[in-house]
Amino acid sequence: MTIQEINQSIANQKSQLLQHSLYEKVKTIDDLHCFLENHIYAVWDFMSLLKALQNKLTCTTIPWMPVGNPEIRYLINEIVVAEETDLAYDGSRQSHFEMYLDAMQECGANTSPIIRFLENVKNTQNIFVSIKQSDLHPNVKAFLEFSFGIIELGKPHQIAAAFTFGREDLIPSMFTEILKNFQTNFPETKLDKLVYYFERHIELDADEHGPMAMQMITELCGSDAQKWKEVNEVSIQALEKRIGLWDAIEAQMTMEIEFS
């Protein structure tokens, strides 16, 4: 397979995400808070996909040894620099997760649940136990379990598939849809940091990280048909989990199902 063929294979799932009715449901400040308080888990677990790739594709142990393909090392390290230590709204250095937390606090969203969840992860030393013990919506749990399940399998091309087609390639278009409603629906709400976060991701992922992640997939798979097949399968699953996440947030907003 090729990148183009993967894109054709996942076109239906991408279309479902970009046309999801969730975007039009974010109309009140409570809706926005609901979105942010659920989406933060996707922002957080993305960082683990990123660091899993760095651990697999570069040397992160001592003594240092040259590991793998230098081109792939460059690609993943460049993405790590921006994701872990980007320029925040105020000019300081922050990870994108920390930027998102600050943006949540600025607009009045509740950050206590994600902070408690991370404390539980530290205490249990087992992400799957922490997910199970949490009171997150089942679809949010499934989203996290999928990401960490792929990480646990330990195949770099599969992790890269979830990272690339489930995140980096998707985010510019998806975040553009989210931003459309901000100025219209929340003119009185302090959203400077949140708008900055979304616009920064649109810029980075469209111009730099998306193409770099695609190149990483190509380098990792080469001419191995089985790896391309697995990349395709993981990409479809990653997008379906994201659709499930969006469904869960929308359901909580409309109170169609009971929060678990």
Side-chain angles (χ1 to χ4, degrees), residues 170-187:
L170 183 70
I171 281 172
S173 298
M174 191 170 64
F175 280 8
T176 298
E177 289 298 318
I178 294 169
L179 271 176
K180 284 180 181 177
N181 291 330
F182 276 13
Q183 300 302 328
T184 303
N185 293 335
F186 313 109

Side-chain angles (χ1 to χ4, degrees), residues 21-259:
S21 52
L22 168 65
Y23 307 118
E24 297 177 355
K25 297 285 176 65
V26 186
K27 293 181 177 178
T28 69
I29 192 64
D30 287 340
D31 295 336
L32 178 62
H33 289 169
C34 179
F35 175 82
L36 299 176
E37 289 161 15
N38 284 278
H39 181 238
I40 185 64
Y41 293 91
V43 176
W44 174 72
D45 85 335
F46 170 84
M47 299 301 295
S48 292
L49 288 168
L50 174 67
K51 298 304 283 187
L53 284 170
Q54 189 179 37
N55 287 340
K56 292 288 182 182
L57 302 174
T58 75
C59 183
T60 57
T61 58
I62 298 171
W64 179 88
M65 296 289 176
V67 171
N69 183 326
E71 185 66 25
I72 294 177
R73 292 202 301 261
Y74 165 76
L75 292 169
I76 194 61
N77 282 331
E78 279 291 296
I79 297 173
V80 167
V81 168
E83 295 289 346
E84 274 200 316
T85 56
D86 201 8
L87 280 174
Y89 179 75
D90 63 2
S92 64
R93 291 283 177 184
Q94 284 186 315
S95 70
H96 286 178
F97 173 75
E98 291 163 312
M99 288 166 60
Y100 201 94
L101 276 182
D102 279 359
M104 287 178 67
Q105 291 168 347
E106 181 185 57
C107 72
N110 186 6
T111 59
S112 297
I114 182 66
I115 298 300
R116 286 197 303 270
F117 178 78
L118 296 188
E119 283 298 320
N120 187 263
V121 172
K122 290 179 185 176
N123 292 335
T124 64
Q125 295 292 299
N126 186 314
I127 182 60
F128 297 103
V129 170
S130 292
I131 295 169
K132 186 175 182 180
Q133 290 178 350
S134 75
D135 59 359
L136 294 169
H137 187 284
N139 288 16
V140 182
K141 290 184 178 183
F143 184 90
L144 292 170
E145 286 168 345
F146 173 76
S147 295
F148 286 98
I150 291 295
I151 290 170
E152 189 172 59
L153 284 175
K155 293 184 178 181
H157 62 284
Q158 290 185 326
I159 301 170
F163 178 86
T164 301
F165 292 103
R167 309 297 179 98
E168 295 291 56
D169 180 53
L170 183 70
I171 281 172
S173 298
M174 191 170 64
F175 280 8
T176 298
E177 289 298 318
I178 294 169
L179 271 176
K180 284 180 181 177
N181 291 330
F182 276 13
Q183 300 302 328
T184 303
N185 293 335
F186 313 109
E188 306 301 322
T189 306
K190 189 76 170 170
L191 294 175
D192 292 348
K193 291 182 178 180
L194 191 60
V195 170
Y196 176 85
Y197 172 90
F198 283 129
E199 289 180 341
R200 180 65 176 147
H201 260 75
I202 292 168
E203 173 192 5
L204 269 179
D205 293 342
D207 297 339
E208 298 177 33
H209 292 181
M212 292 169 82
M214 292 292 184
Q215 185 180 347
M216 180 168 56
I217 291 276
T218 302
E219 295 277 354
L220 285 170
C221 292
S223 59
D224 190 321
Q226 180 60 30
K227 286 184 177 179
W228 280 109
K229 180 176 181 289
E230 291 176 355
V231 163
N232 187 58
E233 291 169 349
V234 168
S235 300
I236 291 171
Q237 291 171 342
L239 292 172
E240 288 175 346
K241 295 302 180 186
R242 172 73 74 164
I243 292 168
L245 175 63
W246 268 198
D247 289 344
I249 298 173
E250 183 178 27
Q252 290 177 59
M253 286 179 184
T254 57
M255 301 184 72
E256 290 176 355
I257 63 172
E258 188 174 327
F259 189 76

